[in-house]
Amino acid sequence: MDLRELADLLWTWTPFLAGGFGWNVTVSAVAMLLGSLFGAGLAWARGRDRREVVWLAAGATSLSRNLPTFVCLFYLAFLLPKEVALGSLVLEVPAWCKASLALSVAVAGYVADTLGSALADRRRGRPDAMLLLLPAWTTYFLIIVMASSTASLIGVSEIVARANIVIGATGRDDLMVWVYLYAMLWFLVFCWPLTLLMGRLQE
């Protein structure tokens, strides 16, 4: 297969792969939202005066920071049911929700530590420390975007899962490297501009 044929094939499958990358971004955004809210709560609790509250918050932070996301992913995939019944209402629990919850655990630990340190610096008279939260938070978001590719292991139709479908549909094992490189390019195009922007903002 020459380069023109390869380019045509990748272009044909681009809408399908783009839809998969949309799931990567969705999973990551929801994970960051949930993890940031919980992490902010832990950071607030760690600054309280009650020793019991501080101890519990510090323990939860340490646990969320040290649990492997891979383990959380499989644990939640099998622990959480596929459906939840609320009276006569039955709510589906899709795989992407489970993946977001799993990734949010690590986010909570990171936010709790980062925000906790910033709040402590603010109490010491350094309010400028809070300004570094945005670049740090965005950098961690990019890490979570990269990690979202593991969601394919529990059935999320993200870009890596769809890349495997493309390879299988074409029946060409020699395309594997090119399809995966193309999938990797999506992550690069999404993450690189944000990295540059945050670098300028941090300066």
Side-chain angles (χ1 to χ4, degrees):
M1 179 178 290
D2 59 27
L3 288 178
R4 183 180 180 83
E5 291 175 329
L6 176 63
D8 289 341
L9 184 143
L10 293 177
W11 179 253
T12 300
W13 287 97
T14 290
F16 179 69
L17 293 172
F21 190 71
W23 281 114
N24 288 92
V25 176
T26 299
V27 166
S28 303
V30 173
M32 289 300 294
L33 175 62
L34 296 176
S36 296
L37 290 174
F38 187 59
L42 291 176
W44 175 83
R46 287 167 62 182
R48 299 303 92 194
D49 295 328
R50 294 186 59 180
R51 183 176 301 177
E52 300 84 358
V53 174
V54 174
W55 184 83
L56 287 173
T61 300
S62 178
L63 183 65
S64 61
R65 187 178 57 235
N66 293 301
L67 278 177
T69 53
F70 230 56
V71 174
C72 290
L73 193 68
F74 284 106
Y75 186 73
L76 290 176
F78 292 105
L79 178 68
L80 295 179
K82 293 183 178 180
E83 295 179 344
V84 176
L86 299 175
S88 60
L89 181 64
V90 178
L91 300 176
E92 182 183 357
V93 183
W96 71 266
C97 286
K98 298 177 182 181
S100 294
L101 284 172
L103 292 174
S104 72
V105 174
V107 176
Y110 178 79
V111 171
D113 278 338
T114 308
L115 180 59
S117 297
L119 290 174
D121 286 339
R122 185 179 181 182
R123 288 192 291 270
R124 298 188 191 101
R126 289 190 53 205
D128 57 312
M130 298 292 291
L131 296 176
L132 295 177
L133 277 177
L134 182 59
W137 186 90
T138 305
T139 299
Y140 203 76
F141 170 64
L142 298 181
I143 293 173
I144 294 298
V145 171
M146 300 293 186
S148 67
S149 60
T150 59
S152 62
L153 298 174
I154 62 169
V156 180
S157 184
E158 49 76 61
I159 194 168
V160 174
R162 295 195 181 196
N164 292 331
I165 293 174
V166 172
I167 295 167
T170 57
R172 297 277 305 269
D173 290 340
D174 58 319
L175 292 176
M176 185 179 298
V177 173
W178 296 107
V179 173
Y180 283 143
L181 281 174
Y182 188 50
M184 184 180 67
L185 183 63
W186 281 84
F187 287 96
L188 179 63
V189 170
F190 181 82
C191 295
W192 190 34
L194 282 175
T195 301
L196 294 178
L197 178 62
M198 287 304 103
R200 295 294 296 273
L201 183 61
Q202 191 167 357
E203 290 176 6

